[in-house]
């Protein structure tokens, strides 16, 4: 079947984005990914691309289905493993997420995206040293990108090291001032430190960028 120009563009963007932090990359729309997957149901790359679009759209259940379909078509396909790891992390199955991230990292050891995601799941499992090491590896791989700093700041926040979290997260904002994930973690850290005005400042910034995330932070500031 002849691929459309839009479909080819999605494949190129997907391949370029695979080494970046999953939550904030340029990506094809979910509609385009659905069309591409429908055109090529036996194409593992198309199904993995659809899984990515679902994850970016915060639909991990659907991402599971598409990623598993990709793995049925091509066992061990790294992009599908990565999206399955992301989906597992999103639903809180961190043991499975770590297993999948480590499988992916065995093939792509320099992936900032996977190192950052694995850091969070390791932190949720209270495997602190491994979590910090994974985030710092992401920083070493991309010292002028926000992803690794965001991962390390989140790990510090989860560990209850809020002052360190604020310091690292602010470093991340130097490289990506509009990072919704970093602003959210920064707001949560300020709440824990009892600094409500600073937490509200992050809420106001988020309100312009991502009202849904801003609402989550607001409900934490004023439970």
């Amino acid at each position: 079947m002849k691929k459309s120009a839009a479909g080819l563009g999605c494949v190129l963007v997907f391949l370029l984005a695979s080494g970046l932090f999953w939550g904030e990359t340029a990506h094809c729309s979910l509609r385009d990914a659905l069309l591409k997957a429908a055109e090529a149901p036996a194409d593992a790359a198309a199904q993995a691309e659809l899984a990515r679009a679902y994850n970016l759209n915060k639909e991990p259940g659907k991402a599971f289905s598409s990623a598993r379909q990709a793995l049925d078509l091509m066992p061990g396909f790294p992009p599908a493993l990565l999206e399955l790891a992301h989906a597992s992390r999103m639903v809180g199955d961190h043991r499975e997420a770590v297993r999948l991230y480590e499988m992916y990292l065995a093939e792509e050891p320099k992936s900032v995206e996977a190192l950052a995601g694995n850091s969070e799941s390791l932190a949720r499992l209270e495997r602190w040293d491994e979590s910090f090491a994974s985030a710092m590896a992401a920083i070493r791989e991309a010292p002028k990108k926000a992803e690794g700093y965001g991962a390390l700041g989140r790990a510090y926040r989860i560990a209850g090291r809020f002052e360190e979290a604020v310091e690292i997260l602010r470093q991340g904002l130097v490289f990506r001032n509009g990072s919704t994930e970093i602003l959210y973690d920064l707001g949560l850290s300020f709440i824990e430190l009892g600094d409500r005005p600073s937490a509200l400042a992050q809420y106001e910034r988020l309100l312009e960028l991502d009202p849904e995330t801003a609402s989550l932070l607001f409900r934490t500031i004023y439970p």
Side-chain angles (χ1 to χ4, degrees):
M1 182 179 293
K2 185 177 180 180
K3 297 180 180 178
S4 67
L8 179 57
C10 285
V11 172
L12 291 173
V13 171
F14 173 67
L15 292 173
L16 288 169
S18 63
L20 301 174
F21 192 56
W22 75 272
E24 298 187 19
T25 58
H27 60 279
C28 298
S29 70
L30 178 56
R31 181 184 62 82
D32 289 340
L34 283 164
L35 289 172
K36 177 71 168 62
E39 289 177 356
D43 184 343
Q47 300 306 321
E49 180 186 322
L50 179 56
R52 187 175 192 85
Y54 278 132
N55 274 329
L56 287 163
N57 204 45
K58 300 179 183 180
E59 297 183 81
K62 293 179 179 179
F64 273 121
S65 178
S66 296
R68 285 172 176 154
Q69 185 174 344
L71 290 170
D72 286 342
L73 292 165
M74 188 179 295
F77 186 45
L81 288 175
L82 182 60
E83 296 312 317
L84 204 56
H86 289 328
S88 297
R89 175 168 55 88
M90 289 175 69
V91 301
D93 189 352
H94 296 292
R95 291 187 188 280
E96 179 65 3
V98 167
R99 185 184 73 84
L100 292 163
Y101 280 127
E102 291 180 351
M103 289 176 65
Y104 180 80
L105 286 164
E107 299 293 328
E108 301 289 343
K110 296 184 178 183
S111 169
V112 174
E113 179 180 355
L115 289 166
N118 199 33
S119 174
E120 179 182 346
S121 286
L122 287 165
R124 299 291 183 186
L125 296 171
E126 300 185 2
R127 292 165 59 176
W128 307 118
D129 289 344
E130 294 169 88
S131 173
F132 302 149
S134 188
M136 287 188 285
I139 293 172
R140 286 195 300 273
E141 291 299 330
K144 294 185 178 181
K145 292 185 177 180
E147 289 82 2
Y149 300 95
L152 185 57
R154 176 168 290 183
Y156 279 142
R157 179 181 66 75
I158 295 168
R161 296 166 59 172
F162 303 115
E163 291 182 355
E164 291 166 282
V166 167
E167 180 181 350
I168 294 295
L169 291 166
R170 280 175 165 165
Q171 288 184 47
L173 288 176
V174 171
F175 300 107
R176 190 180 182 91
N177 188 49
S179 168
T180 59
E181 294 186 339
I182 290 179
L183 290 169
Y184 180 71
D185 279 318
L186 191 56
L188 292 178
S189 298
F190 281 129
I191 292 168
E192 295 293 342
L193 290 169
D195 188 348
R196 184 176 289 178
S198 293
L200 283 169
Q202 310 316 309
Y203 161 74
E204 290 173 0
R205 295 174 71 184
L206 280 169
L207 199 58
E208 299 177 359
L209 299 167
D210 185 340
E212 182 179 350
T213 301
S215 178
L216 288 173
L217 181 61
F218 188 82
R219 291 199 298 270
T220 307
I221 298 170
Y222 296 105

